[in-house]
Amino acid sequence: MTLRQLCKKDVVQLGSGTKLGRTDDLELEVSSARVRGLILRGRPRWFGLLGHEEDLMIAWQQIETIGEDVILVNCPLPEPVQKPAGEGIWAIFHKFVSS
């Protein structure tokens, strides 16, 4: 399987059925050329203008099955990012355009 084929598959958390995204990159162990895990890039914030959320690293041991359409993983769901009070989209946008 190539990285291109792997990147077309949705990554789904097995316990809840939550779609985590798609594989963007692999983490490799250089000395043995083994795959250590999958890297899923964080979701874009405000169409990518305000960057991305944290990337998600899924260890190879947490992968249960790689099927034709999906990759099933047994890992904890990422913690939602808590925004400070008063940090709505317009406050962030104002900071972005002011700097």
Side-chain angles (χ1 to χ4, degrees):
M1 178 177 303
T2 65
L3 178 60
R4 183 179 203 128
Q5 292 170 328
L6 199 61
C7 289
K8 292 182 181 181
K9 300 176 188 295
D10 292 326
V11 178
V12 176
Q13 201 267 349
L14 194 57
S16 66
T18 303
K19 179 181 170 184
L20 301 175
R22 291 189 175 179
T23 303
D24 290 304
D25 205 354
L26 299 175
E27 183 173 329
L28 300 174
E29 187 176 310
V30 178
S31 61
S32 64
R34 290 187 177 184
V35 177
R36 292 179 59 193
L38 306 176
I39 299 174
L40 284 64
R41 186 163 186 185
R43 294 183 177 159
R45 291 187 294 167
W46 213 59
F47 306 106
L49 294 174
L50 300 176
H52 293 286
E53 293 176 2
E54 292 279 329
D55 291 348
L56 179 62
M57 166 62 181
I58 299 173
W60 188 254
Q61 295 80 11
Q62 294 175 320
I63 299 173
E64 294 291 328
T65 305
I66 299 177
E68 284 189 42
D69 299 322
V70 297
I71 300 171
L72 297 177
V73 298
N74 191 8
C75 66
L77 290 173
E79 295 291 325
V81 177
Q82 296 293 330
K83 297 178 190 171
E87 284 291 317
I89 189 69
W90 294 112
I92 294 171
F93 180 71
H94 181 68
K95 285 182 187 178
F96 180 73
V97 296
S98 297
S99 39

